[in-house]
Amino acid sequence: MELALSPEDAAFRDEVRAFIAENYPKEMRVPNPETDLTKEQSLLWHRILYKKGWIAPLWPKEYGGPGWSITRRFIFEQETSRAGTLPPLAFSVTMVGPVIYSFGNDAQKQKFLPRILSGEDWWCQGYSEPGSGSDLATVRTKAVRDGDHYIVNGHKTWTTLAQHADWIFCLVRTDPSAKPQAGISFLLIDMKSPGVSVRPIITIDGSHEVNDVFLEDVRVPVENLIGEENKGWTYAKFLLGNERTSMAGIGRSTRYLDRLKKIVKAEIPADDPAHLELSKEIGRIELDVLALEATELRVIAQMARGIDPGPAASLFKIRGTEIFQGITELTHRAIGNYGLALREQPLSANQFMPGPDYIHTASEKYLNARKLSIYGGSNEIQRNIIAKAVLGL
Ligand SMILES: Cc1cc2nc3c(=O)[nH]c(=O)nc-3n(C[C@H](O)[C@H](O)[C@H](O)COP(=O)(O)OP(=O)(O)OC[C@H]3O[C@@H](n4cnc5c(N)ncnc54)[C@H](O)[C@@H]3O)c2cc1C
């Protein structure tokens, strides 16, 4: 399914396609790029996009964005995800960058934005804590003013890729006596500061993607406060809105559906009843993908005419993640006994493994995809948002 494009936008789409085909690094073509690549490898594509001026589609031109229309942003997102490229680090480019250029002061913009664009600084997100996830307003990490510094103490958790991070953006409590939302501030903390430590959490698929981050008497200069003290909740919500856009993941689902069809063909004889059973379920999911894609195209066309998308981001997050989880479940069923195998090591692009790659990675993908309905605001929370915004409950 394609958006009806003007000749100029169609030419832009062709340019993006050709650029990806010619420039996407071979060493990034590994089975599970999110978990298999080193920090340096995962920055290769970031740096190529930076040189081209395409690293931050969302950003206004004055801060280094490419100045694309909504349609072009959508085309770029669709082409890169269909081609299976690893997106630039969302915590830097999609999350903290827009907060800094929207609410930061000039010194913060000059210090941080260029380094986010170039990939020199790697950011992680310090929102969640043990006991504060969906109910984020209850964060307990404390920041107490001491002259020109805040002294920060607390425990952040589920912090994705903190093991590589140079900086962490944190929600901290600066006024314990105020109502929960009113006492929170948004603070940028250098991960090299004394008192910051990172402990890995190994997830169900065996990968090291998330961490605990401990903050013990960390001295943070007051100049690292974004906006006003105790107004952090406003900036935090702005950031979450950006986090949930483009979660429909049509490109990714389409790629994995194609792969699933090949697996069923290769692994299950056509006269086996399981073949027919799986083919029917694949057909059902394919229809779901098409329906979601049609909805996404409709919303993009409305946004291009200046119409507010309403709670569409929540809808895309729910359906997009359910569909992708469904595909990984069917894939897991289709590979039969291979579903028991978990790799001991990540695979690099040049490493030889006997048999097709799905034999070694489909179980991990299935297990890893459980996270999708939890992070970025759980799917239950997204349903609450839709219930309030659409049904008025
Ligand atoms: C892989 C992964 C990576 C993550 N990365 C980061 C990161 O980089 N930085 C960061 O800050 N956080 C990160 N998170 C944390 C994530 O944002 C939280 O896990 C999420 O917000 C849910 O919070 P919780 O885990 O505390 O669960 P809880 O909030 O305790 O929820 C438990 C269950 O109850 C349900 N529930 C809770 N409240 C309601 C309600 N009001 N109505 C209906 N159901 C409800 C939830 O949907 C869930 O099923 C990550 C999580 C995962 C799994």
Side-chain angles (χ1 to χ4, degrees):
M1 206 178 285
E2 299 267 355
L3 199 61
L5 296 178
S6 67
E8 294 78 22
D9 284 341
F12 172 72
R13 181 201 52 207
D14 295 344
E15 185 192 351
V16 173
R17 263 184 207 169
F19 185 77
I20 296 169
E22 281 161 28
N23 293 287
Y24 193 69
K26 274 200 195 65
E27 52 269 64
M28 293 184 75
R29 291 243 173 251
V30 293
N32 286 337
E34 290 89 356
T35 50
D36 285 353
L37 296 174
T38 63
K39 177 177 180 179
E40 270 314 301
Q41 286 169 329
S42 60
L43 281 167
L44 292 172
W45 181 229
H46 182 119
R47 297 206 171 105
I48 292 167
L49 289 174
Y50 169 60
K51 270 200 199 133
K52 178 80 176 159
W54 286 358
I55 187 62
L58 198 67
W59 293 27
K61 220 166 174 181
E62 59 177 309
Y63 298 121
W68 289 336
S69 63
I70 287 174
T71 307
R72 290 204 174 182
R73 284 201 325 240
F74 177 72
I75 292 171
F76 183 75
E77 145 64 27
Q78 210 177 28
E79 293 303 321
T80 46
S81 70
R82 278 195 179 152
T85 66
L86 183 71
L89 187 70
F91 305 108
S92 305
V93 178
T94 319
M95 298 190 200
V96 78
V99 168
I100 293 173
Y101 67 65
S102 303
F103 304 106
N105 57 36
D106 286 344
Q108 289 166 340
K109 289 178 197 172
Q110 276 162 24
K111 177 172 177 182
F112 293 113
L113 297 180
R115 297 174 66 86
I116 290 175
L117 291 170
S118 65
E120 279 166 278
D121 285 343
W122 181 294
W123 286 81
C124 63
Q125 178 184 26
Y127 273 25
S128 305
E129 297 178 4
S132 299
S134 304
D135 196 3
L136 203 52
T138 61
V139 286
R140 279 173 302 175
T141 292
K142 254 193 334 195
V144 179
R145 185 83 184 251
D146 178 27
D148 292 342
H149 286 78
Y150 289 102
I151 311 293
V152 181
N153 279 285
H155 174 187
K156 296 291 175 182
T157 193
W158 303 119
T159 323
T160 301
L161 300 177
Q163 71 268 34
H164 299 323
D166 303 295
W167 286 85
I168 181 168
F169 54 90
C170 280
L171 295 184
V172 293
R173 189 155 299 284
T174 33
D175 183 355
S177 62
K179 278 193 191 150
Q181 281 91 340
I184 292 174
S185 298
F186 194 107
L187 207 53
L188 313 179
I189 302 180
D190 186 337
M191 290 291 279
K192 289 186 293 299
S193 316
V196 178
S197 56
V198 176
R199 188 174 66 188
I201 300 174
I202 303 302
T203 43
I204 191 170
D205 58 327
S207 68
H208 176 197
E209 202 177 337
V210 286
N211 302 273
D212 281 308
V213 175
F214 299 96
L215 304 154
E216 287 168 88
D217 290 329
V218 181
R219 291 181 68 79
V220 182
V222 170
E223 67 203 32
N224 290 4
L225 175 77
I226 290 286
E228 286 178 53
E229 197 178 84
N230 299 324
K231 292 277 164 59
W233 191 245
T234 307
Y235 321 136
K237 280 195 304 186
F238 167 85
L239 181 147
L240 288 174
N242 286 335
E243 184 180 0
R244 279 174 209 139
T245 50
S246 86
M247 277 196 172
I250 298 295
R252 180 182 58 180
S253 289
T254 307
R255 261 187 305 121
Y256 276 82
L257 257 181
D258 289 345
R259 180 169 171 265
L260 171 58
K261 287 180 199 163
K262 286 187 194 130
I263 295 173
V264 171
K265 205 166 164 200
E267 297 293 333
I268 311 177
D271 57 357
D272 185 329
H275 191 109
L276 181 64
E277 193 48 45
L278 278 165
S279 301
K280 275 192 208 158
E281 295 196 40
I282 290 171
R284 254 178 240 131
I285 289 208
E286 203 155 21
L287 283 176
D288 287 340
V289 173
L290 285 172
L292 187 63
E293 190 174 13
T295 308
E296 191 177 40
L297 292 177
R298 185 164 44 77
V299 169
I300 295 293
Q302 284 174 347
M303 285 168 67
R305 297 202 304 277
I307 299 171
D308 180 359
S314 296
L315 185 146
F316 291 148
K317 206 255 152 167
I318 296 170
R319 288 306 289 140
T321 55
E322 284 175 349
I323 286 171
F324 190 68
Q325 286 180 337
I327 294 170
T328 63
E329 276 160 32
L330 289 183
T331 308
H332 198 241
R333 271 169 55 192
I335 59 171
N337 290 344
Y338 295 129
L340 295 169
L342 277 182
R343 295 176 297 159
E344 283 174 15
Q345 301 281 338
L347 286 185
S348 69
N350 303 321
Q351 205 173 339
F352 173 74
M353 293 291 282
D357 77 47
Y358 58 78
I359 289 177
H360 310 282
T361 58
S363 302
E364 287 165 31
K365 201 76 206 173
Y366 163 77
L367 293 169
N368 190 275
R370 302 306 94 200
K371 70 186 178 190
L372 299 175
S373 43
I374 304 170
Y375 72 18
S378 75
N379 283 13
E380 289 79 16
I381 295 299
Q382 302 311 314
R383 286 195 169 84
N384 287 351
I385 292 172
I386 292 175
K388 271 193 201 142
V390 181
L391 306 175
L393 297 175

